Amino acid sequence: MASGGAHKPVEWDVRARTTAQESQRYTRFVGVMKRALLGAVVVILGVVLVYSLQPRHQGVQIGAEKIENLLGDLTMEKPRLTGLDGDGNPYVVTAEKAVQDAHDTKKMHLFKVDADLTEKKRGTWINLHAPTGKLDGDTHILQLFGPIDTFSDNGYEMHTMVAVVDLAKGIVHGPRMAVGQGPTGNMRADSFYIDRDKHLIVLNGNVHMTIYPSALKQGKKKKT
């Protein structure tokens, strides 16, 4: 009887250690599965995000270095949107970060935005930089909020606080006061309009311009 009783604590101790080890393994397994499921959810949400933002336009592609869900908001790190306008001309929109609009899954808020619109036949282009913006995947409209710097291949630049970019048409509209400069001189206006394909800059409202003497001389030479 004494020997039988001496073995009982040993058996209990072995079973207790085994149960504890199994519990630890199960806890680790649950932790791993939680992380795996969370990762799967983020991936699925990322796919939904990319699909919902994807403009319904032939040749459009969007990618990002990282997609994650932060406090219920889908975000993309270093997103890059590339596509073709109605005439087959390429455009590229990049940003440091994009956050999906809480009220419209097809719209994204962009931060540190850079946009390039190129006309492939003549090589004309427009480049824009802005701290923030909003992209509509359905209308191909990119709204930018300043200060905004706009540059063109012919040496002109415009600076304003609000701009609307029609990616499908290669047109930039600045509805607020803008100042700029170029090969012919300095300019200021209440609003401006740039048509990349027509190589055209239109100034509207309280327009003031300072023409460089060199530009006047060149104009006279062209007339003669």
Side-chain angles (χ1 to χ4, degrees):
M1 295 293 293
S3 58
H7 287 292
K8 288 183 179 180
V10 175
E11 292 175 358
W12 170 255
D13 187 52
V14 170
R15 285 197 298 272
R17 285 201 300 270
T18 302
T19 302
Q21 291 172 354
E22 291 175 351
S23 177
Q24 290 177 357
R25 284 197 296 269
Y26 179 75
T27 301
R28 288 196 296 269
F29 172 77
V30 171
V32 170
M33 289 304 297
K34 283 183 176 179
R35 289 193 293 271
L37 288 174
L38 179 60
V41 169
V42 170
V43 170
I44 293 172
L45 290 175
V47 172
V48 173
L49 166 63
V50 171
Y51 178 78
S52 62
L53 179 63
Q54 198 92 326
R56 305 299 179 253
H57 196 281
Q58 186 177 4
V60 174
Q61 295 182 347
I62 185 169
E65 287 189 1
K66 185 178 181 181
I67 300 175
E68 57 186 345
N69 187 357
L70 297 176
L71 300 177
D73 293 326
L74 290 175
T75 67
M76 303 174 68
E77 290 186 8
K78 298 189 182 303
R80 178 183 176 87
L81 174 73
T82 60
L84 303 175
D85 65 15
D87 295 321
N89 298 308
Y91 60 81
V92 180
V93 179
T94 60
E96 283 294 313
K97 184 176 72 171
V99 180
Q100 190 175 46
D101 191 293
H103 305 290
D104 190 337
T105 59
K106 296 179 181 178
K107 294 180 180 179
M108 293 290 292
H109 297 278
L110 307 176
F111 301 88
K112 294 186 179 180
V113 192
D114 187 279
D116 288 295
L117 293 78
T118 305
E119 201 276 326
K120 60 182 182 180
K121 290 183 179 180
R122 291 177 294 177
T124 58
W125 52 264
I126 302 173
N127 175 260
L128 303 100
H129 303 278
T132 60
K134 190 173 184 179
L135 177 64
D136 190 319
D138 270 348
T139 64
H140 316 286
I141 297 297
L142 173 65
Q143 295 177 296
L144 298 176
F145 307 97
I148 302 165
D149 300 319
T150 303
F151 303 93
S152 64
D153 63 285
N154 56 2
Y156 285 92
E157 60 183 78
M158 298 295 292
H159 307 279
T160 188
M161 294 301 295
V162 177
V164 180
V165 185
D166 190 330
L167 298 172
K169 297 180 180 179
I171 292 174
V172 179
H173 171 56
R176 300 281 183 85
M177 186 189 76
V179 295
Q181 62 183 19
T184 58
N186 300 327
M187 63 197 78
R188 177 213 169 276
D190 289 344
S191 65
F192 72 93
Y193 174 95
I194 301 177
D195 189 319
R196 176 207 56 204
D197 296 345
K198 295 180 180 179
H199 225 254
L200 179 66
I201 298 178
V202 178
L203 304 177
N204 297 303
N206 295 312
V207 178
H208 296 274
M209 296 190 66
T210 301
I211 307 299
Y212 298 146
S214 57
L216 292 174
K217 291 180 181 178
Q218 290 178 359
K220 289 180 180 180
K221 289 181 179 179
K222 287 182 180 179
K223 289 183 180 179
T224 58

